[in-house]
Amino acid sequence: MIEETLKWRSTYKPQEIRWNQVAHEGETGKISRASFHDRQGRVVLIMRPALQNSTSSEGNIKHLVYLLENAILNLPKGQEQMSWLIDFTGWSMAANVPMKTTREIIHILQNHYPERLGIAFLYNPPRIFQAVYRAAKYFLDPCTAEKVKFVYPKDKASDELMTSHFDVENLPKEFGGEATLEYDHEDFSRQMCEDDVKTAKYWGLEEKHYPKPNGFSASDVVPEPATSIASAAS
């Protein structure tokens, strides 16, 4: 697996993906890094499939890989896993990505980011999604499948599960918590551009001056990394 991952990284080059290359995929906030951690200190990725805004398989995968790399970059020292919060409110089959894309995503996650997922909460999934999940589960490693939890609003068992992993004051209302979930694309873009500078420094890459997303570039946002990412990446 290590050999295959090294080959994949040498060709796909996930460490060289920059926010301006995938920012258009993230305009709706379909995937974002949360401003809070779970009770174990894991970075949280929030996913909202109903906000799907692209039919590009390559674009969707590249956007996800970028945010996986970003989540890893921001893991606290000593922590190697992340948590996923997936809100299915408003989701329909029209917003579903093709099964071929799903299979490729699963392959990348399991073969090139093994054990990076600590737990995934599928919140308020409609019944029709269960059929989709049964098809996708066929490609999941049993250990990964065990980490996937279905949770529902106004359900005591679901509430207890969520509060055992998250502080309610941090957890967005969309997931049964008390916080307000707001996605500001420009603000999030600034955060990602800051992290792009850290990524370049970590990998020893000369930061390129890409076209400016939303009118600014990484060098505009943060001329020099404020801190070393050695303590940010596990």
Side-chain angles (χ1 to χ4, degrees):
M1 287 183 69
I2 292 175
E3 290 178 352
E4 289 303 313
T5 293
L6 289 174
K7 291 178 183 177
W8 176 76
R9 293 190 71 90
S10 69
T11 55
Y12 197 82
K13 301 183 185 302
Q15 71 278 7
E16 294 185 18
I17 303 174
R18 294 295 177 264
W19 176 246
N20 81 295
Q21 297 172 301
V22 297
H24 61 285
E25 290 283 348
E27 288 179 348
T28 60
K30 62 184 178 185
I31 309 177
S32 61
R33 195 187 80 229
S35 59
F36 59 91
H37 295 73
D38 67 8
R39 290 186 183 276
Q40 296 188 39
R42 294 180 290 210
V43 169
V44 178
L45 287 184
I46 295 178
M47 305 180 183
R48 292 181 283 180
L51 300 182
Q52 178 59 256
N53 62 334
S54 169
T55 58
S56 169
S57 174
E58 179 182 359
N60 275 293
I61 293 172
K62 196 170 187 178
H63 180 233
L64 175 60
V65 168
Y66 172 86
L67 286 167
L68 289 174
E69 292 282 318
N70 181 267
I72 294 168
L73 176 78
N74 285 280
L75 286 172
K77 188 175 182 179
Q79 180 57 260
E80 297 183 350
Q81 296 183 318
M82 65 189 80
S83 294
W84 290 3
L85 287 174
I86 309 174
D87 178 18
F88 280 90
T89 301
W91 179 87
S92 68
M93 287 296 292
N96 194 44
V97 297
M99 182 56 65
K100 181 180 179 181
T101 303
T102 300
R103 288 173 59 184
E104 188 169 351
I105 288 173
I106 291 173
H107 174 81
I108 290 173
L109 291 173
Q110 293 189 156
N111 290 278
H112 306 312
Y113 297 94
E115 295 305 314
R116 284 298 189 183
L117 178 63
I119 194 166
F121 296 94
L122 278 58
Y123 193 81
N124 198 25
R127 289 187 177 182
I128 191 172
F129 176 77
Q130 295 180 14
V132 176
Y133 180 71
R134 281 197 296 270
K137 190 176 180 181
Y138 177 79
F139 304 102
L140 284 177
D141 179 272
C143 292
T144 301
E146 283 295 316
K147 299 175 182 179
V148 177
K149 309 296 181 183
F150 283 70
V151 289
Y152 301 90
K154 299 180 181 179
D155 177 77
K156 184 178 180 181
S158 295
D159 290 343
E160 291 176 350
L161 181 62
M162 295 297 286
T163 54
S164 69
H165 287 274
F166 299 94
D167 294 322
V168 290
E169 59 267 24
N170 292 331
L171 192 65
K173 295 176 182 176
E174 288 82 352
F175 298 96
E178 299 175 354
T180 300
L181 175 61
E182 295 181 353
Y183 177 76
D184 185 311
H185 186 59
E186 184 171 341
D187 182 62
F188 190 72
S189 292
R190 289 184 180 277
Q191 294 179 48
M192 296 302 99
C193 285
E194 290 176 2
D195 283 351
D196 282 351
V197 176
K198 299 177 186 178
T199 298
K201 182 178 180 182
Y202 178 75
W203 290 101
L205 302 171
E206 181 180 354
E207 186 60 22
K208 300 176 182 178
H209 294 283
Y210 297 103
K212 299 182 178 184
N214 295 326
F216 53 83
S217 66
S219 58
D220 293 331
V221 177
V222 51
E224 296 180 0
T227 58
S228 170
I229 68 165
S231 60
S234 61

